[in-house]
Amino acid sequence: SAVISQKPSRDICQRGTSLTIQCQVDSQVTMMFWYRQQPGQSLTLIATANQGSEATYESGFVIDKFPISRPNLTFSTLTVSNMSPEDSSIYLCSALAGAGPSTDTQYFGPGTRLTVL
Amino acid sequence: RKEVEQDPGPFNVPEGATVAFNCTYSNSASQSFFWYRQDCRKEPKLLMSVYSSGNEDGRFTAQLNRASQYISLLIRDSKLSDSATYLCSMDTGRRALTFGSGTRLQVQP
């Protein structure tokens, strides 16, 4: 299994500012992801955080708005840039842990609840 | 059409009842399917994986029907503690997951 922590757990930010969310996994994992969950909605994949290279973004998400770093196998950051109220959401980090494709499990961090005023 | 569709509910059932949720998917190439449970203001937690024809874990049974492209979750003898949102998900083929909108279950005393 993998235990994931995120910082901050919540924040209230002014529009136009940026927030960086940190994600720490207690063990080395092959893959890490960032999701967004807007109020009352399900999870939407933002990007796959690739270790040592640029993240792979899903349609509708761009690097300028959501820069991601993954310097090693246990840590990643997501920045929400130039925030607007529409960015108010819960941002969840996840990690894939297991022995292989048939046994891998995706674990989620507790999320960062962001409110943009 | 959404990749994954679920009835949002809520399903209100009495304790001890049996309840079933269905989830349909559009990508016939999907190989791995999962049910996650999400409590209010908490992160999703894996409830069950559904890899082949289905599997059972105590009061929970998950089934996969590839021909009709749906998966189901059956909960027997519902407990108050089963009240949560149940998210259907599947592998995108790139190891990430795509999720349904979730089905809310409320078990009543």
Side-chain angles (χ1 to χ4, degrees):
Chain A
S1 67
V3 178
I4 303 173
S5 59
Q6 285 184 234
K7 286 196 297 188
S9 58
R10 59 176 60 224
D11 207 342
I12 301 173
C13 301
Q14 297 295 322
R15 69 172 69 208
T17 63
S18 297
L19 175 72
T20 295
I21 303 167
Q22 298 180 5
C23 175
Q24 180 73 55
V25 190
D26 69 339
S27 57
Q28 292 187 344
V29 291
T30 51
M31 302 192 76
M32 293 179 73
F33 308 93
W34 287 96
Y35 291 81
R36 180 171 75 182
Q37 187 171 28
Q38 295 185 302
Q41 305 292 316
S42 190
L43 287 82
T44 301
L45 179 66
I46 298 171
T48 301
N50 299 310
Q51 194 257 328
S53 65
E54 192 172 287
T56 305
Y57 289 85
E58 297 300 300
S59 175
F61 298 97
V62 295
I63 188 171
D64 290 345
K65 176 67 176 177
F66 297 102
I68 287 170
S69 79
R70 191 179 171 197
N72 57 50
L73 293 176
T74 64
F75 185 79
S76 178
T77 67
L78 167 75
T79 299
V80 187
S81 303
N82 188 24
M83 288 183 282
S84 67
E86 292 72 36
D87 295 321
S88 297
S89 188
I90 299 172
Y91 291 86
L92 295 126
C93 170
S94 76
L96 201 60
S102 64
T103 58
D104 283 350
T105 297
Q106 195 154 142
Y107 297 90
F108 286 86
T112 296
R113 185 178 295 270
L114 171 62
T115 302
V116 184
L117 302 178
Chain B
R1 183 184 170 187
K2 289 183 182 176
E3 279 192 81
V4 182
E5 300 217 43
Q6 285 183 258
D7 181 343
F11 283 61
N12 294 301
V13 303
E15 270 188 290
T18 296
V19 61
F21 310 134
N22 280 337
C23 169
T24 58
Y25 61 94
S26 58
N27 184 358
S28 60
S30 293
Q31 293 295 315
S32 302
F33 304 86
F34 309 91
W35 282 102
Y36 277 80
R37 170 191 169 129
Q38 187 172 30
D39 292 287
C40 189
R41 294 180 172 263
K42 299 286 188 181
E43 73 273 22
K45 294 192 173 163
L46 181 68
L47 179 65
M48 297 184 76
S49 304
V50 188
Y51 286 114
S52 55
S53 59
N55 52 305
E56 186 173 316
D57 182 4
R59 297 183 294 110
F60 299 85
T61 301
Q63 294 280 345
L64 167 64
N65 185 317
R66 287 193 184 273
S68 301
Q69 292 186 205
Y70 76 83
I71 67 172
S72 63
L73 178 68
L74 182 78
I75 305 176
R76 288 180 296 277
D77 189 24
S78 300
K79 312 289 184 194
L80 294 176
S81 57
D82 293 333
S83 298
T85 296
Y86 291 84
L87 299 165
C88 163
S89 70
M90 56 206 59
D91 194 299
T92 61
R94 292 169 284 119
R95 314 296 295 285
L97 295 176
T98 186
F99 285 85
S101 56
T103 298
R104 203 150 61 85
L105 171 66
Q106 185 66 49
V107 181
Q108 315 275 9

